[in-house]
Structures are given as C-alpha cells and as structure tokens.
Amino acid sequence: MTPVPATAPVRGPRRRHSGTHLFLAAMALMWLAPLLWTLYAALRPKAVTDKYGYWSLHGPFGLGNFATAWTQGRMSAYFGNSLLITVPSVVLTLALASMMAFGVSRFRWRFNITLLVLFTAGNMLPPQVLAAPLFEMFKHTPLPYSVSSSGTLLDTYYAVIAVETAFQLGFCTFVLANYMKALPAALTEAALVDGASVWQQFSRVILPLSRPALAALATLEVVWLYNDYFWPLLFIHNGDRLPVTTGITNLQGQFLLDYNMIAAGATITVIPTLVVYLALQRHFVAGLTLGADKG
C-alpha cells in the first residue's frame, strides 16, 4: 500500500495582480507627473523656455531660478511666518483634542457621545460659510496696540491660529477618541487603584500610548496647516506677515510672469512638508495601520 503524503501540494492557477499593479502605476504617474514637470521647469532658464517652449527637452539646466526665487521672493521671512502659524496651531490642536478625546472615551457621562458628534459635525461645515461672520467678529474684537498694530484681531497671527485650531479640532478629537477607546480599560483602572489622579492617568498612561496616533495626526496637520491659503489671506493684510503659501505671489511681476521662477518658488515651499513627512514617516505609517490586525 502506497503511503499518502501528509501534505499534498495545492496546485491551481496562480493569482495574478497585473491589473492592480497597472492601475497603481498609472495613478502614481498621474500624481507625480505635475510635480516632476514643475521641477523640470524650475531647472530651466526662462530664455530657453521662451525659445523652445515648455514642452521641449532642451537645456541647459541649473539652480539659478531657485536662488532668484529665494532672494526676490523673500522666502526666508515667509517661512518664518509660516512657522509662527503652523507650530502653535498644531500644538494647540493636538493638546486640546487629546484632552477632549480622553474625556469622551475614558469616562461615561450623559453628553459625551453628543459632544463628540458635535465636534465631528463641525467638519461638515464649509469654512467659507463662516468667513464673513469671523471677519466681522475679529474686526470688532479690540486688542492693545502693543499686541496688534490694527487694534483688533485682524492682521494678527492670533486670528489665524485660533481659526485653524478650531477647524482642525473636530477631526483630531474624532481620531484620537476612537484610538483611546481601543486601549484596555484595565490600564486606567490600575492607575486609579494606585492613587493616580485624572491628569496623571491622562499624561502618564494614555498619552504615551497614543504616541503613534499623535505622530500621524501631527504629520497630517503640519501639511494641511502649512499649505492653507484661505485663512491667512483673509485675516492678514500686512504683506510682511503672510505665510509662504501666500507670499509666493511676490514672484509675479506686474507686466511679465516668469513661470520658471514661480515653479522654483513652488518647489522650495514643498521642502518643509517633505522633511516633516520623512522625519515622521515611521510613526505616520504606524498610526495609519493601527488596528489593522485586530479582529
């Protein structure tokens, strides 16, 4: 009698993913093509582009447009303005959202779900709807001239930071609340037995465990707030205080547009967000895949 092997090889048609790979390659090309063409235009002198056209492949190539865009566009000053808006907005948003998420996820009280729904529903409202009311409210909010040159909240970083924080707070609260709900309740119960206060439970137990989610949100918020164009343009009237996304318009001449130099300026503005993403890439990917292996 011929013995039967313990495990017989399973033979069948090998699964092919050529269609999926082709689709992903096409989408990646569609996404990268404008960025690569912008970089290509930034490396070409304007005289070469005027002579041969934007769709030509003639050289020479160089970094002259980047140097001109940096000096003529005063990019260093505008980068500083973006830093003064983005960093406080991200820090305030994550700090307030983490405390709110801790309250609605780790404690049961009558209106915790209602409050979370209200925070989330705020993201459904288009920001442009509140542009006029917020402008009028900030216009009639007095501030000392030592704080604001306009005597109101207008033309200050405080107005932009407050609005950016308010509009991003709902999304961050929703994400952090869902993550904190997945943490075992035994952790805070053990801390409570050991005599930990509510603040100690939040700062020493829950907050360190939420680091991957906070890193993922920090990456997204830096990109979103740094690239925001609408609110700074609405509330800040002094051109020297504009962030880099709005200050890049200084590269446009009155009678002539140098699109090669504008492409170089746009490429320069991408560098900070790229650096932030590369620095937090590991935490960002870990935050996106949280709970993927849970049934």
Side-chain angles (χ1 to χ4, degrees):
M1 186 174 181
T2 304
V4 179
T7 56
V10 179
R11 296 181 179 179
R14 185 178 179 180
R15 298 183 61 185
R16 298 183 182 273
H17 302 281
S18 57
T20 303
H21 294 162
L22 182 62
F23 173 76
L24 294 177
M27 296 303 296
L29 183 61
M30 290 177 59
W31 183 268
L32 292 175
L35 300 179
L36 295 177
W37 196 258
T38 301
L39 180 60
Y40 174 74
L43 293 172
R44 302 179 68 192
K46 184 178 183 299
V48 176
T49 302
D50 293 340
K51 182 178 181 180
Y52 297 103
Y54 284 95
W55 300 101
S56 61
L57 299 178
H58 296 80
F61 303 96
L63 301 177
N65 288 325
F66 291 93
T68 305
W70 180 267
T71 55
Q72 181 175 329
R74 297 185 300 162
M75 303 293 283
S76 58
Y78 290 122
F79 272 125
N81 296 338
S82 294
L83 192 68
L84 291 175
I85 293 175
T86 303
V87 173
S89 300
V90 172
V91 172
L92 277 175
T93 300
L94 295 182
L96 296 176
S98 59
M99 289 187 284
M100 184 64 200
F102 176 75
V104 299
S105 63
R106 311 302 292 187
F107 296 96
R108 294 183 178 180
W109 48 293
R110 180 177 298 179
F111 300 107
N112 60 343
I113 301 298
T114 304
L115 193 59
L116 181 61
V117 170
L118 289 176
F119 268 81
T120 308
N123 292 328
M124 309 299 176
L125 190 65
Q128 293 78 6
V129 175
L130 297 178
L134 286 174
F135 185 88
E136 290 297 325
M137 183 176 67
F138 291 163
K139 181 180 178 181
H140 294 88
T141 302
L143 285 179
Y145 283 98
S146 58
V147 178
S148 171
S149 59
S150 64
T152 64
L153 264 177
L154 287 181
D155 206 20
T156 64
Y157 296 128
Y158 307 114
V160 181
I161 293 172
V163 173
E164 298 283 14
T165 302
F167 273 93
Q168 298 298 324
L169 192 58
F171 170 75
C172 293
T173 300
F174 177 76
V175 174
L176 289 174
N178 288 332
Y179 175 76
M180 291 180 182
K181 287 179 181 178
L183 297 177
L187 295 174
T188 51
E189 293 175 356
L192 182 62
V193 171
D194 291 339
S197 62
V198 174
W199 175 254
Q200 290 173 333
Q201 296 174 37
F202 167 70
S203 60
R204 297 186 180 182
V205 179
I206 299 300
L207 202 58
L209 294 175
S210 303
R211 188 177 303 171
L214 289 172
L217 285 175
T219 307
L220 291 175
E221 291 299 318
V222 166
V223 173
W224 290 342
L225 297 180
Y226 173 83
N227 290 326
D228 186 33
Y229 181 86
F230 179 70
W231 293 119
L233 188 62
L234 178 65
F235 294 133
I236 297 180
H237 302 154
N238 190 337
D240 295 334
R241 298 176 183 175
L242 290 173
V244 69
T245 51
T246 55
I248 198 175
T249 55
N250 288 339
L251 298 177
Q252 299 179 6
Q254 184 177 1
F255 303 104
L256 180 66
L257 290 179
D258 188 346
Y259 290 107
N260 297 76
M261 187 173 61
I262 294 176
T267 305
I268 293 175
T269 61
V270 176
I271 295 177
T273 56
L274 185 62
V275 171
V276 170
Y277 174 76
L278 293 177
L280 299 176
Q281 181 181 13
R282 180 171 60 87
H283 301 287
F284 179 70
V285 175
L288 291 181
T289 56
L290 290 172
D293 56 345
K294 296 181 181 179

